[in-house]
Amino acid sequence: MESLSTFWLSVLLFLLILASAFFSASETSMMALNRYRLKTLISKNNTQAKRVEKLLDKIDYLIGGILLGNNFVNILAASIATLISIKLWGEGSIIIASILLTIVILIFAENTPKTFAAKNPEKVALPASWLLELIIKFFKPVIYLISLISKFLLKIIGLKTESKDLLNSEELRMAV
């Protein structure tokens, strides 16, 4: 990595911030999707909606894939930002680079994409589903291991990992 020019490192850093924004927006949009609207789209034979439903059916894999991707790109971005700062300003600039990258990630890769995705879940979730499906398929063994460890840790502290999708009477009244 040190042999790459500052320009190419900066381009790579920019692409990693975009990837982080993708993962952040995808996570929020998937969780914010209206399930009834999704069912309607599925009944109209929308292939993207079918893919989203399949992803949501295995929520632990979906979350595992998104978090694996987001953490990987954010950690790699931090490493590259450190390299850039050392190249440009020396070792004393690492803390400044960390602070600046934190601000950039918070604004451009977390807050803004998540706010947009929360307000427009279908616009993000449906087209993002194909890439998320691909990532989950490619990293399935790693995601499976992460999921297994997470379930084990939740079991140790006494939390159930199986959810009940049944509506209580109040939720059913709201849905109607």
Side-chain angles (χ1 to χ4, degrees), residues 34-52:
N34 181 318
R35 300 301 197 265
Y36 301 108
R37 173 83 177 120
L38 186 64
K39 295 283 185 199
T40 302
L41 291 172
I42 291 167
S43 71
K44 292 179 180 177
N45 214 22
N46 184 310
T47 56
Q48 290 178 324
K50 289 178 183 178
R51 190 180 309 114
V52 168

Side-chain angles (χ1 to χ4, degrees), residues 17-34:
I17 291 167
L18 286 179
S20 180
F22 166 78
F23 286 116
S24 295
S26 296
E27 178 184 15
T28 299
S29 68
M30 290 289 181
M31 299 307 123
L33 264 177
N34 181 318

Side-chain angles (χ1 to χ4, degrees), residues 35 103 105 142 164:
R35 300 301 197 265
I103 293 167
I105 286 178
V142 176
K164 293 181 182 176

Side-chain angles (χ1 to χ4, degrees), residues 1 3 25 39 64 69 73 80 106 114 128 130-131 133 144 147 150 162-163 174-175:
M1 280 280 187
S3 62
K39 295 283 185 199
V73 297
I80 290 173
L106 279 174
K114 285 185 178 198
W130 75 268
L131 185 55
E133 183 180 54
Y144 173 76
S147 176
S150 296
E162 302 303 318
S163 69
M174 291 294 293

